[in-house]
Amino acid sequence: MRNLILFFAFAFIAFFTTTTMATPTGGHCNGNYIYKTVKNGGVYAAGKDIYVKVGAQNHYDIQYMDLYINGYRVRREMNAPYEWGRPNGGGDQYLRNMKPGTYKLKCIATTRCGRTHKKEITIYVKKKNNGYCNTNYWYMTAKHGQHCQKGKDLYVKVGAQKASDVEYMELYINGYRVRREMNAPYEWGRPNGGSDQYLRNMKPGTYQLKCKIKTRCGEIIWKKSTVYVKH
């Protein structure tokens, strides 16, 4: 009888141990995964669908995955393969007939241990004009680190290697919007001009210039420069 009791006791302990080890909750789960069909910095054609497939190193440890694009939730995938915007499929409208622009993709994987793993990438959708716009821009005046005299106007000019690829440029100074320029030459605070008051009669201080450039391919590019106005 004593041997029988010991046998059942050991059997119960073995069963409990095996069951506990087999249940990932509270233990270790592999939450590693990769984007398989899209990549950070990838360029895709406007009007097409974006097919997103995520591969998990150990999909048994994944409870589900959520995909977001520019903050909008596309859908939750409960099982592998983890796919959104499947070719010739329906649904996932945020990934269909893409318009030109910059898109942030964020996948959040929740493991069976209750932990979340996030990975975010940026992709670009461009118009069909060969899918390429020249994005070489530079400050011609108000260069980074430049020193200016107080009481003077600040003249800002931004050069573009290919102006025909620019839709517009917009200048900001210390967070204040100066003006949008639709055509080259891209200038603000022109000498002897009357507008662009944020650039006139400059007071001593440090000024952060940011030029927002939108290309005809739909990209948004920021060029920054810091200038100093001294006593």
Side-chain angles (χ1 to χ4, degrees):
M1 184 66 179
R2 181 172 175 274
N3 290 338
L4 186 61
I5 293 173
L6 288 173
F7 171 79
F8 280 112
F10 282 120
F12 174 79
I13 292 171
F15 172 79
F16 178 80
T17 303
T18 303
T19 304
T20 303
M21 291 178 65
T23 304
T25 303
H28 173 71
C29 290
N30 188 335
N32 191 33
Y33 61 91
I34 59 171
Y35 288 93
K36 301 187 75 171
T37 57
V38 288
K39 63 179 181 178
N40 189 44
V43 179
Y44 304 89
K48 302 291 186 180
D49 299 341
I50 299 293
Y51 171 49
V52 181
K53 184 175 182 179
V54 174
Q57 194 167 355
N58 187 352
H59 66 87
Y60 295 107
D61 283 348
I62 303 295
Q63 188 170 354
Y64 55 80
M65 290 192 183
D66 289 305
L67 184 69
Y68 295 80
I69 182 167
N70 283 359
Y72 294 97
R73 183 172 177 269
V74 180
R75 184 170 43 84
R76 175 171 291 180
E77 271 280 18
M78 300 297 296
N79 301 294
Y82 303 100
E83 301 171 293
W84 298 266
R86 296 180 184 92
N88 305 317
D92 300 340
Q93 294 306 312
Y94 288 120
L95 302 175
R96 307 290 182 185
N97 188 25
M98 300 298 293
K99 294 179 172 56
T102 300
Y103 295 88
K104 300 283 187 182
L105 289 174
K106 180 169 67 175
C107 183
I108 304 179
T110 301
T111 69
R112 298 189 186 278
C113 300
R115 297 179 180 177
T116 58
H117 300 263
K118 303 177 185 179
K119 288 187 179 180
E120 185 173 285
I121 63 173
T122 302
I123 63 173
Y124 304 96
V125 175
K126 296 188 176 183
K127 291 181 181 178
K128 297 177 182 179
N129 55 344
N130 298 325
Y132 175 75
C133 284
N134 191 310
T135 56
N136 189 20
Y137 315 107
W138 65 94
Y139 283 90
M140 301 177 72
T141 64
K143 296 179 181 179
H144 184 70
Q146 181 175 321
H147 291 77
C148 311
Q149 289 183 340
K150 75 167 186 174
K152 300 291 186 180
D153 297 341
L154 181 61
Y155 172 51
V156 181
K157 185 175 183 179
V158 176
Q161 188 167 349
K162 190 175 180 182
S164 60
D165 281 349
V166 177
E167 187 171 334
Y168 65 79
M169 291 192 188
E170 205 165 66
L171 184 69
Y172 295 80
I173 182 168
N174 284 359
Y176 294 97
R177 181 178 179 271
V178 179
R179 183 171 43 84
R180 176 176 292 184
E181 271 279 19
M182 300 300 297
N183 302 292
Y186 302 100
E187 302 171 293
W188 299 264
R190 296 180 183 94
N192 304 315
S195 60
D196 304 338
Q197 293 305 312
Y198 288 119
L199 303 177
R200 307 295 180 182
N201 189 24
M202 299 298 292
K203 294 178 172 57
T206 300
Y207 294 88
Q208 304 288 336
L209 295 172
K210 290 197 302 183
C211 186
K212 177 183 178 182
I213 304 158
K214 184 176 181 183
T215 72
R216 298 193 184 278
C217 297
E219 295 171 285
I220 298 292
I221 297 168
W222 292 88
K223 299 294 287 186
K224 299 179 182 179
S225 178
T226 302
V227 298
Y228 306 93
V229 177
K230 293 193 170 185
H231 288 282

